[in-house]
Every structure is written in C-alpha cells, then in structure tokens.
Amino acid sequence: MDTQSDKVTLTLFYAASFVVYYIVTMLITLFPNYGALRNNGLLVPVLCLFEFAVIYPLYRFYCQRRTDIPLGYLRPGQALLFVAALVALMVAQTQFLQPEGWLIAQSQQGRSSMLILLLTAVLLAPVFEEVLFRGFLLQGFLLWAPKSRFACMLLTSLLFAAMHTQYVHWETIVALTLFSLLLCYARLRSKSLALPIFLHTLNNLIAILPAWFYA
C-alpha cells in the first residue's frame, strides 16, 4: 500500500506530466511558422508528434518503477462488448452533433496533409492521450478517492474534453465527455491501457476517414 509520502510523490508526478503536456501544447503556438502549419493542416500532426515524444517516455519511466498502469493486452470478448458500446455512442451522437469547423477545414486539405493527420491521430494520439488521461490523471484521482470511481472518471473526462480546444460546439464537448467516460470504464474493467487505446484508435479512425475520402 502506498504511504502518504508515496501518494504525494505520485500525485506530483501525475500533475507534472499534465503540466508538461499543456506547456508543449502552448509552446507550439509560439513557433514562427505556426500560421503556416495551421493553414496547411499540419498543426495537429505536429502537436501529436511533440506530445507523444514527451508523454510516452514518461510512461516508460513510470512502468520501470510501478505496475499499476500496465499496457496489458486485449481480451477479444471484452473488446467486442466495448466496441459495441462505442458504436452505439457514435450512432447516438449523429442525432445531435453539429458539423465542426475543424473537421470541415481538414477535409479541404490535400491528400498528403490528410494522410499525415490520419497516421498521427490514429497511431500516436490514442497512445499518449490514454497514458495521460486514463492513465496518469485517472490514477491520480483514484489515489485519493478510491471509493468515488465515477467522480474520478467524470473529473478526468471533463479535463479531457476541455483540452480539445479545436472543437467549439457544446454538443461536441458533451460527446467527448461521454466518450472519455467509456474509455475510463474500459480502463478500470480491463485494468490496463490496451483496451482504451484500441477504442480510442477505432474512434479516431472512424471520425477522420470521411475527411480522407473528401480530401
């Protein structure tokens, strides 16, 4: 069992990881060619590359010392149940979601920019976002409130939704919160990150593929 000092140390590590992630996100806006990246549809891929390069090594460092946030593996039966839940959530979202300007703008980019976005959003973003949100942050909240799982999941999900500033409609923020709640539950049920990473990858693939075909 973690001592009080262990809890404080772990909480500081989790919080520092989030702060580093936020700082990296903000520093990108200071790039001299920030406007060009945005206009060419390369801003999100560059963000993904830098954030992955920061968060994943922190996760490897963490796993060398602790085993409470393992990568794990997929269980086919469990994965199918959560995929069905994800599909049901996505179908329900089609009834009230408004088209987001960010996705529309991406569909107007060239094929090469869309390919880069597709690869980074599908292969990199799910990994570092799951490590940070359903890994470090959720674990940090559970460390102090282990009997309040839903509250911990909700706090994690609200932070996750708030960090996706490229979306502007409140319906999308609600959808991101519900999506994150599903990922949090998948993390707790599977006791690993493999299932939420898989679900996140599938979600991003389904969301971005239409823009690829219209590019």
Side-chain angles (χ1 to χ4, degrees):
M1 181 177 294
D2 293 315
T3 65
Q4 193 73 5
S5 61
D6 289 337
K7 287 184 178 181
V8 172
T9 301
L10 286 170
T11 301
L12 289 174
F13 177 84
Y14 300 144
S17 298
F18 180 77
V19 170
V20 168
Y21 162 81
Y22 183 78
I23 289 174
V24 169
T25 303
M26 292 298 101
L27 284 177
I28 298 297
T29 63
L30 301 178
F31 277 24
N33 57 345
Y34 173 79
L37 289 174
R38 187 169 185 172
N39 293 334
N40 294 326
L42 297 175
L43 178 59
V44 172
V46 170
L47 274 171
C48 288
L49 286 170
F50 276 91
E51 289 165 349
F52 180 86
V54 170
I55 298 300
Y56 188 71
L58 288 175
Y59 176 64
R60 296 302 304 166
F61 172 83
Y62 184 88
C63 289
Q64 291 171 1
R65 290 154 180 79
R66 295 183 64 87
T67 59
D68 52 356
I69 312 179
L71 179 60
Y73 57 90
L74 288 176
R75 298 179 180 89
Q78 187 179 62
L80 284 174
L81 286 175
F82 276 92
V83 167
L86 175 63
V87 171
L89 179 61
M90 296 182 78
V91 170
Q93 289 171 0
T94 62
Q95 303 302 311
F96 63 87
L97 285 186
Q98 298 184 49
E100 284 287 354
W102 178 75
L103 286 176
I104 293 173
Q106 294 305 313
S107 66
Q108 297 171 351
Q109 302 299 329
R111 301 284 289 188
S112 58
S113 295
M114 276 304 305
L115 178 60
I116 295 172
L117 173 66
L118 184 65
L119 291 175
T120 52
V122 171
L123 299 180
L124 298 185
V127 176
F128 73 77
E129 288 192 342
E130 292 313 304
V131 166
L132 181 65
F133 291 98
R134 265 62 63 177
F136 293 159
L137 291 186
L138 180 58
Q139 192 72 11
F141 291 134
L142 290 170
L143 199 61
W144 296 98
K147 295 182 179 180
S148 302
R149 288 193 164 193
F150 181 76
C152 295
M153 291 165 57
L154 183 59
L155 283 172
T156 300
S157 299
L158 290 174
L159 278 172
F160 175 75
M163 290 303 296
H164 286 75
T165 55
Q166 70 268 36
Y167 299 114
V168 296
H169 297 303
W170 69 266
E171 296 97 332
T172 306
I173 304 303
V174 172
L176 285 169
T177 302
L178 295 174
F179 173 56
S180 178
L181 285 171
L182 177 64
L183 296 179
C184 287
Y185 186 59
R187 151 79 161 79
L188 296 179
R189 287 291 296 176
S190 65
K191 299 179 181 179
S192 69
L193 290 175
L195 181 55
I197 288 175
F198 171 72
L199 294 172
H200 200 151
T201 298
L202 182 61
N203 177 83
N204 287 7
L205 182 64
I206 294 173
I208 296 176
L209 269 182
W212 162 259
F213 287 116
Y214 284 110

